[in-house]
Amino acid sequence: MTTTGAPTAAPDALAGLIDLDHAATTPVRPEVLSAMAPFAEQRYGNPSGAHRLARDAVRALDEARERIAAALGCAPGEVVITSGGTESDNHAVAGGMPPRPGVPVCAATEHHAVLDTVRALDGRVVGVDDLGRVDPGELGATLSELGRRASVVSVMAANNETGVVTDLASVAEVVARHTPEVPAVPLHTDAVQAAAWLDPSAWAPADLISVSAHKLGGPKGVGALVVRHHVELEPLLHGGGQERGRRSGTVDVAGAVGLATALECVAADRGTVAKRVGAVRDRLRDRLVDSVDGLVVTVERQGLARGAGRVLPGILHVCIPGVESETLLFLLESAGVCASAASSCASGADRGSHVLAAMGVPADLAGGALRLSLGSDTTEDEVDRAAAAVADAVERLRSFP
Ligand code: PLP
């Protein structure tokens, strides 16, 4: 007897969970699901073909590309559809396959998709300030030393662990000042976390921009790399020459439609959602500070005044002395709260956070790191219950001899 792949209901184990790990991924918005459905069903054509089904897919893809471009603040011809943030970052940093000649440069707090690519290419990693923002003096000195050998500078728009937002205009100014050659060294920004919360002006100064649909209410496995017209980029993936030769592989039309719709949904209510979620995040902060002895709000310890507004509204990063992230996460999960210690790829807390280390957070404090990240629908009741669960777990851990 054959079994069909009928959709499975959510297992009971997921009922009632409080998800405070939205920076890892966030649910697909209903509008996105319904916009994508026709492209998985009747309108399933391959946009590389020439017949009626294929032409329908081409039209849908063109339209999605226009909507993505409008939401990201670029021209449709500058949008390359990719498989997500990791591919976009690898492509921007490497410049293609084989990699562009020269030395890529990035900040020490970049996501591993950037950092590990820079390291794989023997690039340069620049230090950061106490808040994890690239050190302009060190960036300038590195670029002056490299001269024409610098191939790309990659600095993220907002950090995925701490939520700290970068002033990209000032980074672009440092790059321009220290690389006066023509063509200038391109500035890449990983806007994977920023795009869920910030206006496109936040990444406007960049020449190459990475985004990922699943961080903002779209599907997993699709993203975009914005390549400004003046930037030369060779393909990373070779094959059928799709995406005007910049990215081979059958384009995921449903995914592109999903990304376009998710970006539009985010843009439509960005102001009100950011304000509401920021207030809920601050409430969580206050509850935790009041109920957990010695708890440190990481960005405040590092010098950012409470409410200074240079942190994404959805992220609260804390460090809890005398507690190990891994055991804390285990107890939180038993209490029905999903969170993480660092980025989702290092969430098991089994490798320490390179972000906190680069910011100069002492290792004993960083060992008790906890990233709580809220989604657009996270409620006051959820954060109140999560704060109580954290306080309870910390008390239990501290009571062990
Ligand atoms: N860049 C940042 C800042 C991220 O937070 C992530 C995901 O955690 C990525 C890149 C990777 O994106 P994706 O999961 O789409 O490959």
Side-chain angles (χ1 to χ4, degrees):
M1 199 176 84
T2 55
T3 50
T4 60
T8 48
D12 289 346
L14 298 186
L17 280 181
I18 299 175
D19 179 9
L20 288 183
D21 199 15
H22 284 271
T25 198
T26 199
V28 178
R29 293 200 185 218
E31 306 91 312
V32 171
L33 266 186
S34 32
M36 290 174 68
F39 299 95
E41 294 164 350
Q42 315 87 340
R43 304 181 65 185
Y44 58 85
N46 182 335
S48 299
H51 47 66
R52 202 181 301 171
L53 261 176
R55 287 198 306 274
D56 174 64
V58 170
R59 264 194 307 277
L61 183 59
D62 286 348
E63 197 188 303
R65 196 185 307 281
E66 278 169 24
R67 293 165 59 204
I68 293 167
L72 292 177
C74 64
E78 295 178 322
V79 174
V80 179
I81 306 295
T82 67
S83 66
T86 301
E87 181 190 324
S88 297
D89 284 350
N90 273 257
H91 198 173
V93 172
M97 166 60 200
R100 66 164 96 67
V103 182
V105 176
C106 76
T109 41
E110 294 301 307
H111 187 275
H112 281 292
V114 166
L115 193 60
D116 293 3
T117 311
V118 167
R119 287 193 177 132
L121 296 170
D122 284 332
R124 298 282 287 270
V125 178
V126 175
V128 294
D129 66 10
D130 289 351
L131 286 166
R133 298 168 302 193
V134 69
D135 179 328
E138 198 180 320
L139 177 60
T142 305
L143 292 175
S144 300
E145 184 202 322
L146 290 173
R148 287 186 177 279
R149 286 185 302 134
S151 59
V152 66
V153 174
S154 184
V155 175
M156 68 205 315
N159 187 270
N160 50 299
E161 291 187 31
T162 61
V164 170
V165 175
T166 306
D167 174 2
L168 279 176
S170 65
V171 175
E173 196 267 321
V174 173
V175 175
R177 191 148 34 90
H178 292 273
T179 60
E181 302 85 12
V182 176
V185 176
L187 173 63
H188 165 247
T189 196
D190 174 335
V192 167
Q193 295 290 338
W197 302 102
L198 303 181
D199 187 79
S201 59
W203 51 81
D207 305 299
L208 293 156
I209 301 148
S210 302
V211 294
S212 176
H214 76 102
K215 305 287 186 180
L216 40 86
K220 292 172 186 59
V222 65
L225 177 62
V226 174
V227 185
R228 301 276 189 211
H229 283 316
H230 60 272
V231 176
E232 278 180 29
L233 197 79
E234 296 299 319
L236 184 68
L237 301 182
H238 298 262
Q242 288 90 343
E243 295 295 273
R244 297 194 190 172
R246 290 174 298 187
R247 199 269 185 188
S248 286
T250 302
V251 183
D252 177 358
V253 179
V257 170
L259 173 61
T261 311
L263 282 167
E264 282 175 353
C265 290
V266 165
D269 54 16
R270 184 184 286 122
T272 40
V273 169
K275 202 163 159 213
R276 192 195 69 78
V277 175
V280 178
R281 186 267 319 269
D282 290 348
R283 178 185 176 101
L284 175 61
R285 175 231 174 256
D286 294 346
R287 292 275 186 281
L288 288 173
V289 168
D290 288 348
S291 59
V292 181
D293 246 13
L295 176 138
V296 168
V297 179
T298 313
V299 292
E300 293 174 25
R301 176 191 187 275
Q302 300 295 107
L304 194 68
R306 183 182 186 282
R310 271 170 290 162
V311 177
L312 296 179
I315 294 188
L316 177 69
H317 192 285
V318 298
C319 293
I320 307 178
V323 159
E324 272 187 13
S325 302
E326 205 172 339
T327 29
L328 175 62
L329 289 175
F330 177 77
L331 287 188
L332 284 180
E333 204 201 312
S334 330
V337 177
C338 297
S340 68
S343 71
S344 35
C345 355
S347 60
D350 43 3
R351 59 175 164 164
S353 161
H354 67 283
V355 173
L356 298 184
M359 290 163 64
V361 176
D364 55 336
L365 200 53
L370 180 64
R371 179 186 72 174
L372 299 163
S373 51
L374 290 67
S376 53
D377 293 332
T378 302
T379 63
E380 291 187 345
D381 176 58
E382 283 179 310
V383 299
D384 288 355
R385 287 190 285 137
V390 173
D392 183 54
V394 171
E395 200 182 310
R396 283 173 62 192
L397 289 172
R398 285 181 176 162
S399 67
F400 290 139

